[in-house]
Every structure is written in C-alpha cells, then in structure tokens.
Amino acid sequence: MSGQNSGCMEAALALERSLNQALLELQALVLPTDPQLCDFLQNHFLGEVAPVQGTAFDLRKPVALGKHLQDFHVGGFDHNFCLKGSKEKHFCARVHHAGSGRVLEVHTTQPGVQFYTGNFLDGTLKGKSGAVYPKHSGFCLETQNWPDAVNQPHFPPVLLRPGEEYDHTTWFRFSVA
C-alpha cells in the first residue's frame, strides 16, 4: 500500500517497506460457541476446515504482515479464509498502511476470501517507470466462494440452477487515518 515504485528494489527491503508497514485484520473468526458461523481456514484439497486460533493464520487482530510471516516462518499466504456464513454485507478485512496512513476496508456478501501475499513475484516483473516487484511486494484480498465447494456438501452451496440469480457484491472502502 506504499504506492507504485516506492523504492522496493530487493526482496528484504520490499518485505520491510510493503508488508511490515501494512497492518492486516482479516475477519476469519473462530467462535466455537456459534456453530452457524464458518470461521475457519479451509484446506480445499481435503475438504476440511480448521480453526485459525493460535496459528499463523490467526489474523483476527491487526498484525504487521512482514513480521508475522517471519515470526511464524511462513513463506507467504495463498489460502482461502472462511468468513461468517451470511449472504448479507459483512466485514471481511481491514488493512492500514502506517507509512502513508492509507486504509482499505473490505466488505462482501461472499463466504470466503483468498488471501495471497505475492509469493511468486521474483523481481522479473517490471511495472510503470521500471518498478520492480520482488517476493511479497504486494498482496491480494479476493472475495469468493470456497474452493471445491461443488464437491463438498458441507461447504456453502455454489451451484447456480436454471432460473436462479447469482448476486454477490464486494465493497472496497479507501480512507486515510
């Protein structure tokens, strides 16, 4: 969130400037007292969901992303996080960039969000004015249905039947703090 060509010329510097200044709060909650909520990390290869509490995937309170990756020895994120099971607008994530004061809030009607931290960026991709994008120099929050939901009867339904309407919305709100 520090902006185009903000001086990130090597991976370590990019990690420090991009992810360490980005405080992320991702509302994949674990509320064991409420079985109606699907607030877990999903392993779509096994059709399982697992609580995020106490793991590297617990992003319910703001964390400095770069430091968080280092503290938990995580090579990055590319995971679906299960959100509250609601077709109504609900809070998904908040990112605050301390260096610029920029804030991004994401709300959605989708049941999940794919969180990706630029794990395969390697510095070969060039942007405007020759900007270099090394590993972890950016991230994505992609609202979606749960992967492989069509094959997992206990996941939120994803099949669209004839005559049904697909209607999901994601809101991105930008501000300065």
Side-chain angles (χ1 to χ4, degrees), residues 9-128:
M9 298 306 287
E10 58 186 58
L13 187 56
L15 182 62
E16 179 181 340
R17 287 192 179 161
S18 294
L19 296 185
N20 275 344
Q21 290 188 28
L23 296 175
L24 173 75
E25 174 187 346
L26 185 62
Q27 282 306 114
L29 302 175
V30 178
L31 298 174
T33 59
D34 190 345
Q36 298 300 317
L37 299 177
C38 282
D39 300 332
F40 303 91
L41 173 72
Q42 175 194 4
N43 181 338
H44 64 271
F45 297 110
L46 300 176
E48 297 174 352
V49 292
V52 297
Q53 187 173 4
T55 72
F57 301 97
D58 192 350
L59 305 173
R60 297 173 296 163
K61 293 185 180 173
V63 299
L65 287 175
K67 183 178 183 321
H68 189 77
L69 290 174
Q70 292 170 349
D71 289 350
F72 281 94
H73 306 287
V74 177
F77 290 99
D78 191 3
H79 298 83
N80 182 69
F81 286 78
C82 305
L83 304 172
K84 290 188 278 188
S86 168
K87 292 184 178 184
E88 300 300 317
K89 178 180 179 179
H90 55 273
F91 177 73
C92 172
R94 179 179 298 110
V95 184
H96 176 252
H97 183 260
S100 66
R102 291 183 188 114
V103 176
L104 165 64
E105 287 187 346
V106 182
H107 291 79
T108 187
T109 60
Q110 291 279 20
V113 60
Q114 188 79 15
F115 176 45
Y116 174 66
T117 54
N119 310 328
F120 296 103
L121 295 173
D122 63 4
T124 59
L125 180 65
K126 303 288 191 248
K128 294 189 290 186

Side-chain angles (χ1 to χ4, degrees), residues 138-156:
F139 61 89
C140 302
L141 293 164
E142 305 163 351
T143 61
Q144 63 182 25
N145 281 300
W146 296 7
D148 198 35
V150 69
N151 296 310
Q152 305 297 334
H154 56 288
F155 285 4

